[in-house]
Each structure stands twice: as C-alpha cells, then as structure tokens.
C-alpha cells in the first residue's frame, strides 16, 4: 500500500520503500536498505544511515529489472522482520 506523506512511501508491515526527486532525478529509497544484499552493486548510501537508494536517471528495460530485484529483496526483508516480531 502506498501512503503519501512528504514523499510517497510503500508500506507492508513496516515502511519498505519511498520515492523522492532530487536535482531532477528520481530516487527509490529502501528503508531497510542497509540489510539488503547488493549483489548488483546499484545501491547508494546517502545521508540516512540505514536507507539505501537507487537513482533513476532514465527508464530502460534494465532499470525495471534492477528496480524489481531490489523491491523483491525489500519485501522479503519486511516479511522476515514480521516473522521475527512474532517469535
């Protein structure tokens, strides 16, 4: 579910991801990004310690594949946190 605050956030059990625009570029931020496996070496660290970003300058097929890959990882992380909370 997308929630709109200052930036649009995607929420499942917790905040998973958000979109922002900086300097004319779209940034997709992952709230638990520090814990995501960055095997594609596309995540960037910026000002927030735990958050990792993908900066999107143009949309191509490869961009969509990268975004889908990291969104799946972020959702899996969210589900893992939900399971840990239950135990």
């Amino acid at each position: 579910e997308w929630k709109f605050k200052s930036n649009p956030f995607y929420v499942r059990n917790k905040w998973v991801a958000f979109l922002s625009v900086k300097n004319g570029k779209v940034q997709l931020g992952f709230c638990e990004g520090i814990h995501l496996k960055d095997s594609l070496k596309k995540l960037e660290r910026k000002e927030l310690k735990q958050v990792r970003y993908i900066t999107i300058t143009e949309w191509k097929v490869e961009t969509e594949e990268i975004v889908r890959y990291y969104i799946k990882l972020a959702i899996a992380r969210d589900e893992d946190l939900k399971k840990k909370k239950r135990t």
Side-chain angles (χ1 to χ4, degrees):
E1 173 184 358
W2 282 97
K3 296 193 179 201
F4 295 90
K5 306 251 183 214
S6 58
N7 292 316
F9 275 84
Y10 180 69
V11 180
R12 286 176 61 91
N13 302 300
K14 296 180 79 173
W15 290 3
V16 176
F18 61 92
L19 291 171
S20 65
V21 177
K22 297 224 177 164
N23 301 322
K25 297 176 183 176
V26 175
Q27 294 184 331
L28 175 59
F30 296 98
C31 300
E32 291 281 329
I34 194 171
H35 301 287
L36 300 182
K37 183 178 179 182
D38 189 16
S39 59
L40 301 179
K41 306 291 185 218
K42 299 291 184 183
L43 295 178
E44 306 167 36
R45 181 175 182 199
K46 300 201 185 251
E47 63 277 353
L48 300 173
K49 181 180 174 184
Q50 194 158 332
V51 177
R52 295 295 182 267
Y53 298 86
I54 296 173
T55 301
I56 302 167
T57 55
E58 62 180 330
W59 195 261
K60 301 183 284 189
V61 172
E62 178 185 88
T63 308
E64 182 174 346
E65 291 169 355
I66 291 167
V67 168
R68 286 180 183 273
Y69 172 79
Y70 286 109
I71 287 174
K72 286 179 185 178
L73 289 180
I75 290 171
R77 170 72 181 165
D78 185 66
E79 290 299 318
D80 287 345
L81 289 173
K82 179 181 174 183
K83 289 176 189 174
K84 287 179 184 175
K85 188 175 180 181
R86 288 183 185 168
T87 58

